[in-house]
């Protein structure tokens, strides 16, 4: 049976369609576009740009939220200044070490050795000299620790300054909290330990013993001045002033390390509270309790107030 021309035309169109499909499948078209499993072309998505926020903002729940202000940075600077002021006060540690050095000179004198043989009080002085010397070394260690803490607060200020200026690469609030919390912990935890050490191993023994030792030395000098040589008399002339200066300095200093820690820690936590994570707040509270116990104060929040 002969095929009519319309039928032949349909066969020809079908053959052409198959041929075109085969060429596309062979990749000869050279378009380079990616295709999905369904055969349709995929759309290339450009990488997401960092989110921009106003100065001092962080990203929270997809929005820009103000978290750092000039006032908060100023609080950090003020606490750093407090640490520096305490360090300057401890520049006067030599006031405390001077009478202890005087004791060392006394103990080398023959007059002292003779008196010690018949005086239980002077034997006691011999026993506490090493304790007092270690107490002064502890004060010097505390002064060095204040410098380290001040430097860490300076680092925190620098980080906050950068966050205040960077508007192109806003950080998530979680990142900012981690940064601030880490800086505060590295500043305040060691400082609390140093304050506790200073209260127990420097101020307590110095306050308990130095005044008594001074009284013993001054009383002994009444004998030494009558019977001793020129060196002994010269030391005795210095003794009263040196011991009075040391005990006066210690009386002024005694509660200041604990009060300093409480004020610095409280102020930083109050002003930066939204930038400190919960775990860090617990650690800082525990540090305050240690300081309070060393000073024999009630725990923070019990209603009796801070160190005077």
């Amino acid at each position: 049976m002969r095929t009519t021309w319309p039928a032949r035309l349909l066969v020809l169109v079908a053959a052409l369609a198959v041929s075109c499909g085969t060429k596309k499948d062979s990749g000869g078209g050279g378009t380079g576009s990616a295709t999905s499993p369904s055969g349709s072309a995929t759309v290339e998505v450009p990488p997401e740009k960092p989110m921009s926020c106003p100065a001092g903002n962080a990203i929270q729940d997809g929005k820009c939220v103000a978290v750092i202000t000039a006032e908060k940075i100023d609080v950090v600077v003020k606490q750093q200044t407090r640490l520096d002021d305490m360090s300057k006060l401890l520049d006067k540690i030599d006031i405390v070490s001077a009478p202890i050095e005087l004791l060392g000179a006394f103990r080398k004198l023959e007059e002292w050795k003779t008196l010690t043989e018949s005086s239980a009080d002077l034997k006691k002085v011999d026993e506490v000299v090493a304790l007092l010397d270690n107490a002064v070394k502890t004060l010097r260690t505390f002064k060095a620790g204040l410098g380290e803490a001040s430097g860490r607060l300076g680092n925190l200020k620098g980080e906050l300054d950068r966050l205040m200026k960077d508007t192109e690469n806003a950080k998530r609030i979680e990142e900012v909290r981690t940064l601030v919390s880490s800086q505060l912990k590295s500043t305040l935890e060691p400082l609390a330990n140093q304050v506790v050490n200073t209260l127990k191993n420097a101020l307590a023994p110095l306050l308990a013993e130095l005044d008594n030792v001074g009284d013993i030395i001054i009383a002994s000098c009444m004998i030494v001045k009558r019977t001793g040589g020129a060196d002994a008399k010269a030391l005795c002339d210095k003794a009263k002033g040196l011991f009075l200066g040391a005990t006066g300095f210690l009386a002024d200093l005694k509660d200041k390390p604990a009060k300093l820690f409480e004020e610095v820690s409280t102020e930083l936590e109050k002003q930066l509270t939204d930038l400190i994570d919960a775990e860090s707040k617990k650690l800082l509270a525990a540090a305050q309790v240690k300081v309070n116990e060393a000073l024999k104060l009630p725990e923070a929040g019990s209603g009796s107030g801070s160190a005077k």
Side-chain angles (χ1 to χ4, degrees):
M1 182 177 176
R2 295 181 64 187
T3 306
T4 62
W5 69 267
R8 292 176 183 172
L9 181 59
L10 290 173
V11 172
L12 179 60
V13 170
L16 288 172
V18 171
S19 175
C20 289
T22 302
K23 289 180 180 180
K24 288 180 180 179
D25 291 343
S26 67
T31 61
S33 61
T35 58
S36 66
S38 63
S40 61
T42 58
V43 178
E44 293 184 2
V45 179
E48 186 177 351
K49 292 183 179 180
M51 186 171 174
S52 296
C53 283
N57 280 231
I59 303 168
Q60 185 174 13
D61 299 327
K63 299 177 182 178
C64 294
V65 179
V67 294
I68 300 169
T69 63
E71 289 76 15
K72 289 183 178 180
I73 295 176
D74 186 55
V75 165
V76 175
V77 174
K78 286 180 178 178
Q79 307 324 304
Q80 185 180 13
T81 300
R82 279 179 168 171
L83 297 177
D84 293 339
D85 287 344
M86 177 63 77
S87 181
K88 290 176 184 176
L89 177 61
L90 291 176
D91 284 341
K92 300 177 182 178
I93 291 175
D94 287 347
I95 293 176
V96 180
S97 65
I100 298 171
E101 291 170 2
L102 184 76
L103 286 175
F106 263 119
R107 295 170 71 222
K108 294 176 182 178
L109 296 173
E110 288 302 321
E111 292 92 337
W112 176 272
K113 295 175 183 177
T114 301
L115 287 172
T116 302
E117 292 175 358
S118 59
S119 172
D121 285 338
L122 290 184
K123 289 179 181 177
K124 178 184 177 182
V125 171
D126 279 343
E127 293 170 359
V128 300
V129 165
L131 177 69
L132 297 176
D133 186 58
N134 182 69
V136 171
K137 290 177 181 177
T138 302
L139 279 180
R140 296 191 190 282
T141 300
F142 178 50
K143 175 177 167 57
L146 289 169
E148 293 172 0
S150 174
R152 292 189 182 103
L153 285 187
N155 292 338
L156 175 58
K157 176 188 178 297
E159 294 287 356
L160 296 178
D161 280 338
R162 279 190 284 276
L163 292 170
M164 274 289 286
K165 295 172 183 176
D166 190 355
T167 60
E168 297 299 322
N169 300 289
K171 293 184 178 293
R172 293 181 298 109
I173 185 66
E174 293 82 5
E175 295 177 272
V176 179
R177 282 199 184 111
T178 297
L179 185 152
V180 172
S181 297
S182 175
Q183 292 280 3
L184 287 181
K185 284 189 294 184
S186 68
T187 300
L188 295 177
E189 281 193 298
L191 182 61
N193 292 332
Q194 289 159 1
V195 168
V196 169
N197 186 42
T198 299
L199 294 174
K200 289 183 175 180
N201 299 315
L203 294 175
L206 285 169
L207 288 164
E209 301 292 349
L210 195 60
D211 192 32
N212 291 335
V213 168
D215 288 343
I216 293 169
I217 294 297
I218 292 168
S220 300
C221 278
M222 295 177 67
I223 301 173
V224 170
K225 282 189 173 184
R226 291 197 303 266
T227 63
D231 290 342
K233 291 177 181 179
L235 292 176
C236 284
D237 288 340
K238 297 178 181 178
K240 187 173 183 179
L242 291 179
F243 278 98
L244 285 175
T247 54
F249 175 77
L250 291 169
D252 179 60
L253 177 65
K254 65 178 182 177
D255 292 338
K256 286 184 176 179
K259 186 176 181 181
L260 173 74
F261 180 83
E262 181 182 19
E263 291 177 346
V264 169
S265 179
T266 299
E267 195 65 20
L268 287 171
E269 186 171 352
K270 181 174 74 173
Q271 297 298 331
L272 302 175
T273 185
D274 54 338
L275 298 178
I276 307 174
D277 59 46
E279 184 61 28
S280 297
K281 288 180 180 180
K282 290 180 182 178
L283 291 173
L284 297 181
Q288 181 64 64
V289 169
K290 286 195 298 184
V291 172
N292 288 349
E293 289 176 346
L295 195 59
K296 300 193 181 301
L297 287 175
E299 293 185 8
S302 63
S304 63
S306 62
K308 301 297 182 187

